[in-house]
Amino acid sequence: MTRIAIFSILAISVTLISCGNDSPQLDSDLTLEQQVNILIEQDEYEDALDLLADEDETDPVIAELLEKTHLNYGLHSMNTFDADEMRTRMNNALMQFAEVLRINPQNAVAREQIDQIMGVYATMPDRGPDDEALEALRDVGYEY
């Protein structure tokens, strides 16, 4: 085997190993805000929420990052079409928007999206959100 062939096999192996990693690697020199923003850009909302999990939610910067992450997670859930998992995605979106409103009751985007999802459910009498999503909505002042 030639050196080029060996090098190619090694390069492919390293690429496959690094692709197998489920969590994105972030530069530890970045601020928490920068790391969260990168994860949001990559649609890695659970990883962003994990980064924020142990932070002080009363800190305005942390609260804003949580609000932004939950809002983007909800929008992503709504706008990623998968007919087989539509109900699951809409329930997740409602849960995320309810969390946004828990953090910031004035968030108009979350309110608009909840109204939109619930409007669609209203046209389907045999379907609706899970009880957990309805409870989360009740906790932030919605009655459906």
Side-chain angles (χ1 to χ4, degrees), residues 75-92:
L75 292 169
H76 177 76
S77 291
M78 277 184 71
N79 296 317
T80 304
F81 184 75
D82 182 345
D84 294 334
E85 294 188 16
M86 185 59 73
R87 186 164 189 256
T88 300
R89 290 187 156 292
M90 292 306 108
N91 281 313
N92 183 55

